[in-house]
Amino acid sequence: MRALLGVVGATALLVLTGTGPATAAEGDNGFTIKDSRIIESSGLAASRQHPGIYWTHNDQDSGSYLYAVDSATGETVARITLSGVGQQRDVEAVAIGPDNQIYVGDIGDNDGVTWPYVWIYQLPEPKNLTDQTIRAKQYVVKYSDGSRDAESMIVHPRTGRVYIIDKQEDGGHLYEGPAQLSTSGANVFKPVAPVDLWATDAAFSPDGQQLAVRGYFGGIWYDWNGGDIKREGRLDVPLQGQGESVTYSVDGTKLMYGSEGSESSVEAEDAPGDSGSKSPSGSGSSAQSDGDDSSGGDNGNVKVGAFAVAVAAAVVLGFRRLLRRR
């Protein structure tokens, strides 16, 4: 309920301040997820091995599944069943590391931050996109400072090191995992830098030089700076009913933003800095204040009715998740 109230409160703030979503860039290559089985898309990762394919998953599912969605059609071209792992709890993130290894973050903890440990799964991305079962490695993850709720897991594209960002309304932290994850014993993640956002997902640029972090209504991008992250500016995050995911396009020119719900949309915006054709930092506007910067762009022409729809969508989705977890 606390998370739901935070979402609705943030939306109400948008109405009062008159800030709104960025205009979709020309050449928008977003898509709609059409698979009726995908109703809670909580993570998104662009395949390098299969250009145009995006991997996603449900927040909670009847089994451990990954879906390969063709962005040209919005249709699922393969469903992967993970074997060798236990019953999933709250899968919130997916990322692709070196050598086309897929990492899945079963790291959510919405029920009071009580799990003594969470899990990360690793499996090779299949060369052939057909429905199949793939055996995955399962890693036990603990935090050095106690249980965390988290929805953001990232894997550095060069080093393969795994990081998690916890989800805190007043801002969280970037947690660094061991240089190599181990299937024997717990892998302890330690906080290494603050993140100024109530984070719902994050992504590395393909070259590993940028870190994009999104929340429900805003985002921030950082210079990776060897892990000593340096905040560079805000992201132009589109207004979505329940913004849950983000990934860079394979060429690094776009950030793809996903949300939950049936037939949910994935919307594209130009990536910041040198990765895209424009930089939203500095003078750019965001759909939400990003935590410690309350100034917004001049979007006074945004109609209040659009925000009312967004509020309604957030309430419906939030209550659905709340009732499910009782």
Side-chain angles (χ1 to χ4, degrees), residues 37-305:
R37 297 170 297 182
I38 305 172
I39 58 174
E40 293 181 308
S41 175
S42 294
L44 199 64
S47 171
R48 294 188 290 272
Q49 185 171 212
H50 305 288
I53 296 297
Y54 286 81
W55 291 97
T56 190
H57 55 81
N58 281 314
D59 184 333
Q60 293 185 346
D61 217 330
S62 57
S64 297
Y65 303 118
L66 285 173
Y67 300 84
V69 179
D70 185 347
S71 61
T73 64
E75 301 287 354
T76 296
V77 295
R79 185 176 79 162
I80 306 303
T81 302
L82 278 64
S83 68
V85 302
Q87 178 61 46
Q88 67 178 37
R89 296 178 187 150
D90 188 359
V91 178
E92 293 287 356
V94 61
I96 297 180
D99 301 320
N100 299 316
Q101 293 291 306
I102 301 177
Y103 293 76
V104 181
D106 193 349
I107 56 176
D109 197 349
N110 287 320
D111 298 322
V113 192
T114 57
W115 303 125
Y117 56 87
V118 292
W119 296 305
I120 291 174
Y121 314 129
Q122 179 187 349
L123 66 153
E125 182 180 26
K127 293 182 179 180
N128 298 316
L129 293 178
T130 59
D131 290 357
Q132 57 190 288
T133 298
I134 298 178
R135 187 169 186 83
K137 295 178 181 179
Q138 179 169 310
Y139 303 110
V140 174
V141 170
K142 292 185 175 182
Y143 301 97
S144 61
D145 53 357
S147 300
R148 306 275 105 188
D149 180 23
E151 296 188 4
S152 310
M153 179 200 68
I154 50 177
V155 182
H156 196 276
R158 300 289 176 83
T159 69
R161 197 162 198 157
V162 183
Y163 300 82
I164 294 173
I165 300 173
D166 64 336
K167 184 182 180 185
Q168 300 289 334
E169 291 181 53
D170 56 352
H173 283 81
L174 176 72
Y175 283 78
E176 182 182 71
Q180 289 187 324
L181 297 179
S182 173
T183 55
S184 61
N187 296 272
V188 178
F189 280 59
K190 301 176 181 179
V192 293
V195 173
D196 307 320
L197 196 72
W198 190 19
T200 61
D201 202 11
F204 275 117
S205 59
D207 61 7
Q209 297 300 309
Q210 294 177 4
L211 171 64
V213 185
R214 77 159 299 171
Y216 288 116
F217 297 100
I220 303 172
W221 70 282
Y222 296 86
D223 177 14
W224 180 242
N225 196 31
D228 184 16
I229 58 175
K230 178 183 177 183
R231 176 174 167 159
E232 294 291 346
R234 293 177 292 157
L235 295 171
D236 286 332
V237 178
L239 185 64
Q240 296 172 307
Q242 188 166 335
E244 290 281 343
S245 58
V246 66
T247 186
Y248 278 83
S249 59
V250 172
D251 64 4
T253 62
K254 298 286 184 179
L255 278 169
M256 310 293 290
Y257 297 96
S259 62
E260 287 194 359
S262 298
E263 296 192 351
S264 59
S265 64
V266 176
E267 301 184 41
E269 294 287 347
D270 287 340
D274 295 334
S275 291
S277 59
K278 71 172 184 177
S279 172
S281 63
S283 60
S285 64
S286 171
Q288 175 202 13
S289 168
D290 52 32
D292 60 0
D293 182 354
S294 59
S295 62
D298 183 10
N299 293 296
N301 60 341
V302 177
K303 295 181 180 180
V304 173

